[in-house]
Amino acid sequence: MTPGTRRVTRRRLLLGAVGVGAAGATAALGVSRIEQPDERPVALVYRGPAACSGCAESVANLLESAPNPMRAVYCGPNEDVDVTPDTLAGALVYAQPGGGVVGPAWQRTRSYAPHLREWVSAGGNYLGFCLGGYLAANDPGYDLFPGRVRQYIATDGATIDDTADTIVAVRWRDRPRHMFFQDGAAFSVPGDDWAAVGGTALARYPNDVVAAAVTPYGSGRVGVVGPHPETDETWYRGPGLTNPDGIRFDLGHDLIATTLAR
């Protein structure tokens, strides 16, 4: 994701690279079968023109593979389910995956903003991955995050200075880890006082700027992350990257669990 011009990346080519197999496998998992009863809580996952190819599927797989798994249901203007007060009322989580440029993405999703604010304020849970983290901001965005959201590459002392797919080092709960990164967001609150806003800084970049956080919004919670904890091996294959930690999903599962904790 980038607020400016965005080049074609592996994520935009993902479905072309893995073909019908990945989409078919996702369908086989029952991700879109909202009409079928299921005891798992529902997680609405945006899939549409504001998301990049494959990003929604990766977030859906992360949610469905969590220790307390959810049933991911795709939503968006071209899906059987859209983002409305009625559909949100039946969901535990709304997830906004990665995507392209913030401005156009906001134009495509801005109609969701009042519904999401009302739902989260009443106890819902918002998860924002990369672009979804940017869209949690207020200018532009859903106005769910109580601070500033900006490009990590524009922060002082950033270890990355371009928008190419890469690996970024972070400290997640003060332990060193590595994550897939492409022009992800950084998050801040006044005075870096997360306790003052009732939030938790889960991860920090090498320059100590926050890379992932969970904050309250009314009776609900907002979990945001700049890098990508949902990436499987296909994300690394195209750009020829290797994660020193291996392909692991525990950080994404921690983000989910922390957001849902009350």
Side-chain angles (χ1 to χ4, degrees), residues 147-233:
R148 183 182 181 190
V149 183
R150 53 184 168 152
Q151 290 174 283
Y152 167 62
I153 63 173
T155 62
D156 292 339
T159 55
I160 299 169
D161 60 6
D162 60 41
T163 62
D165 293 340
T166 190
I167 306 294
V168 68
V170 301
R171 293 193 67 83
W172 191 286
R173 294 195 185 272
D174 208 31
R175 294 186 177 183
R177 294 294 297 270
H178 297 83
M179 302 178 72
F180 189 99
F181 181 87
Q182 196 271 318
D183 199 14
F187 309 94
S188 60
V189 295
D192 199 34
D193 191 348
W194 292 86
V197 298
T200 301
L202 289 174
R204 292 180 182 267
Y205 295 109
N207 64 352
D208 207 37
V209 174
V210 171
V214 175
T215 56
Y217 184 86
S219 297
R221 305 268 278 181
V222 176
V224 289
V225 59
H228 288 274
E230 75 278 21
T231 51
D232 61 23
E233 67 279 0

Side-chain angles (χ1 to χ4, degrees), residues 36-220:
Q36 296 187 6
D38 192 312
E39 292 182 355
R40 294 172 296 169
V42 168
L44 293 176
V45 179
Y46 174 87
R47 183 168 68 175
C52 52
S53 295
C55 289
E57 290 80 0
S58 292
V59 169
N61 289 336
L62 180 73
L63 290 158
E64 294 209 327
S65 67
N68 294 307
M70 283 169 270
R71 180 165 62 98
V73 175
Y74 294 126
C75 61
N78 302 318
E79 300 293 332
D80 292 337
V81 175
D82 206 351
V83 181
T84 68
D86 286 343
T87 57
L88 287 167
L92 178 65
V93 164
Y94 171 84
Q96 186 79 47
V101 181
V102 171
W106 169 238
Q107 292 303 315
R108 291 165 174 150
T109 59
R110 64 187 306 164
S111 64
Y112 300 157
H115 307 323
L116 288 171
R117 284 195 294 268
E118 181 178 2
W119 174 73
V120 177
S121 180
N125 299 281
Y126 175 92
L127 289 172
F129 299 81
C130 194
L131 173 66
Y134 283 103
L135 288 177
N138 66 353
D139 188 22
Y142 301 135
D143 196 14
L144 296 171
F145 181 75
R148 183 182 181 190
V149 183
R150 53 184 168 152
Q151 290 174 283
Y152 167 62
I153 63 173
T155 62
D156 292 339
T159 55
I160 299 169
D161 60 6
D162 60 41
T163 62
D165 293 340
T166 190
I167 306 294
V168 68
V170 301
R171 293 193 67 83
W172 191 286
R173 294 195 185 272
D174 208 31
R175 294 186 177 183
R177 294 294 297 270
H178 297 83
M179 302 178 72
F180 189 99
F181 181 87
Q182 196 271 318
D183 199 14
F187 309 94
S188 60
V189 295
D192 199 34
D193 191 348
W194 292 86
V197 298
T200 301
L202 289 174
R204 292 180 182 267
Y205 295 109
N207 64 352
D208 207 37
V209 174
V210 171
V214 175
T215 56
Y217 184 86
S219 297

